[in-house]
Amino acid sequence: MTTTTYETETRIGPTTYRLRASADPELFLEVAGTDTSGALVAEGNLRLPADAGGPVGKLLSQVLDALGKLGAPPPKSGRHRPANANLPWTGDLDEDLRATWLAAPPGTPTTDLIRAIAKQLERSATSIRSRLARVGCDPDIAGRPLSPEAAHLLGVQGRHQGEFRGKPDSDEAGEE
């Protein structure tokens, strides 16, 4: 029987890996990895029956891929999550949001104000916009309180024009 040999080398980071595979009649696989100074940093041998090469190769590929993912840092999502994302709103935060919104001078661009408040409170612009109605503010016009009609349309209960209650959507009266 003829001996078949396959050799290859690849560099991954600072390590150079050499692979030598031969079949005579069993499969024999030898792996060695050396760093830039030539020091051995990885090595291993594997002996397999001749008909096991394909299935075992597939198995090793799956295992090594899974192990590599375990040690890898989590992928970056590309989305920034504000520091206070998903944290509950407090009465003080609601009051600050309402006061900041209603203090805006006429003609202030709504989107710019929402972004500025989001940055200040370390929340997303979406969370600020959705919270504005709950604290009695018109999310479409900076500086304007939410009208009773708009509160009804937005499904916000317990909000009236110019009135702010102590707790969102509650019957507990608060001060403005």
Side-chain angles (χ1 to χ4, degrees):
M1 181 172 239
T2 306
T3 300
T4 304
T5 303
Y6 174 80
E7 292 184 42
T8 189
E9 186 175 291
T10 188
R11 184 176 185 95
I12 302 172
T15 306
T16 300
Y17 293 94
R18 289 178 188 84
L19 173 71
R20 181 172 184 226
S22 60
D24 183 23
E26 295 177 321
L27 297 177
F28 186 73
L29 181 65
E30 182 181 344
V31 180
T34 55
D35 64 14
T36 52
S37 69
L40 189 64
V41 296
E43 68 176 325
N45 296 308
L46 188 61
R47 189 176 59 134
L48 302 168
D51 61 348
V56 171
K58 188 174 183 177
L59 175 66
L60 285 173
S61 175
Q62 291 170 347
V63 169
L64 293 173
D65 185 51
L67 289 173
K69 288 177 183 174
L70 284 176
K76 294 187 179 188
S77 68
R79 287 180 45 195
H80 168 72
R81 286 181 48 99
N84 293 326
N86 298 322
L87 292 179
W89 284 82
T90 65
D92 288 342
L93 287 172
D94 281 341
E95 289 174 27
D96 289 347
L97 175 60
R98 179 177 168 80
T100 302
W101 188 259
L102 295 177
T108 301
T110 302
T111 306
D112 293 346
L113 182 57
I114 288 174
R115 286 182 184 147
I117 294 171
K119 186 174 182 178
Q120 175 190 345
L121 297 180
E122 297 185 73
R123 301 272 181 163
S124 71
T126 303
S127 71
I128 297 299
R129 182 169 173 75
S130 66
R131 195 70 185 181
L132 284 168
R134 298 183 116 206
V135 298
C137 297
D138 185 335
D140 294 320
I141 300 176
R144 186 165 88 178
L146 190 64
S147 69
E149 295 81 17
H152 178 72
L153 285 172
L154 293 172
V156 180
Q157 299 173 2
R159 297 289 176 250
H160 301 286
Q161 185 174 6
E163 182 181 324
F164 174 63
R165 299 188 184 272
K167 294 181 183 175
D169 303 330
S170 71
D171 291 328
E172 181 182 319
E175 296 178 3
E176 191 171 345

